Amino acid sequence: MFKTKLSQFRASPEFYTSKLMPRHVGAIAALILISLLSSLSGTPFDHNISNGWEAFVWGLADPVISLNCLVGIVAIGLLSSVFVRGAAIAGCFVLATVLGIVIHIFQLDLPGTEIAIAISTIVFGTMLMMPNQLNFLVFALVGISAGLFQGYANAESIVNAGTISVVAYILGIALTLFAVAMSAREIGVGMGMGEINRILLWKISLAGFALCAIGIVFLSNSLI
């Protein structure tokens, strides 16, 4: 009897949410800190990959060391929690990123990459500022577009790499993107973004404002 009740308690969504949400928040905060330190310390974003292991490691790292890309991934995860099928959009974002990498490898032109990534960050920030007016189709289109351009930008370092290195890089970047997006989605679910109340609204709006500010800074740098 006791074991049955204990199992039911452990299996309840509320239990997992209360236990896992602080871990997700801590992980996202650590990644943002790493991204900021990478930017301030001048960590090289352009790198040459010579083998499969280096490709896998850089695949894991590239979405994290670029602050503009990282906050976009976090925003997609948070916004996806508003919809019941929002996880599908996060998955499409990952697939679109892989497609962007493939487009770059085949040397197809996708102009204005940095500008597009910055604009998508601003759009995501605006969506966070108005979560009650979020449209599923618009969100999906923006998420897929952001994934394409982000993948295209990240693939610069593996254009001349071998097949094994390319596959390893794609695997690494897909793992990071999926882990960050799903962690951010769990945070959004734990915050109750699907049923936003007034107490949370100003916090979500503040996060959206921060994303807009980051996007504007990167957009300004891209236009200079």
Side-chain angles (χ1 to χ4, degrees):
M1 185 75 159
F2 174 75
K3 290 183 178 180
T4 302
K5 292 183 178 180
L6 181 59
S7 299
Q8 292 174 348
F9 171 70
R10 287 180 176 176
S12 64
E14 293 81 2
F15 176 80
Y16 281 112
T17 299
S18 63
K19 289 293 183 180
L20 293 179
M21 184 177 171
R23 299 180 184 179
H24 289 307
V25 172
I28 295 295
L31 290 177
I32 293 176
L33 178 60
I34 291 172
S35 184
L36 288 171
L37 293 176
S38 298
S39 300
L40 294 174
S41 62
T43 298
F45 292 96
D46 297 327
H47 37 271
N48 295 320
I49 293 174
S50 59
N51 56 63
W53 174 247
E54 288 183 359
F56 180 73
V57 172
W58 276 112
L60 293 174
D62 273 349
V64 176
I65 61 178
S66 176
L67 180 62
N68 194 25
C69 293
L70 177 60
V71 295
I73 303 167
V74 173
I76 287 175
L78 289 174
L79 290 168
S80 70
S81 65
V82 175
F83 303 101
V84 176
R85 299 181 180 178
I89 297 181
C92 289
F93 170 78
V94 176
L95 293 177
T97 303
V98 174
L99 179 59
I101 294 174
V102 173
I103 290 174
H104 200 150
I105 290 174
F106 282 96
Q107 299 182 353
L108 301 176
D109 190 26
L110 200 62
T113 305
E114 297 298 331
I115 295 175
I117 295 175
I119 291 175
S120 64
T121 302
I122 296 172
V123 174
F124 287 138
T126 304
M127 289 180 176
L128 278 174
M129 294 171 68
M130 300 182 295
N132 289 322
Q133 302 177 15
L134 189 60
N135 182 275
F136 183 86
L137 181 59
V138 173
F139 174 45
L141 291 175
V142 175
I144 292 172
S145 299
L148 280 173
F149 283 101
Q150 181 168 324
Y152 187 89
N154 289 334
E156 182 67 34
S157 58
I158 59 168
V159 171
N160 298 318
T163 303
I164 295 178
S165 296
V166 171
V167 173
Y169 183 84
I170 290 176
L171 177 60
I173 201 170
L175 286 174
T176 296
L177 291 177
F178 185 79
V180 174
M182 290 298 102
S183 295
R185 177 175 169 79
E186 289 297 325
I187 293 173
V189 172
M191 292 173 61
M193 286 188 63
E195 299 177 357
I196 299 172
N197 54 52
R198 294 181 178 180
I199 299 176
L200 291 175
L201 187 59
W202 71 272
K203 296 181 181 180
I204 298 171
S205 299
L206 183 61
F209 179 80
L211 258 70
C212 287
I214 293 172
I216 291 172
V217 170
F218 278 92
L219 180 60
S220 301
N221 292 336
S222 300
L223 294 174
I224 294 177

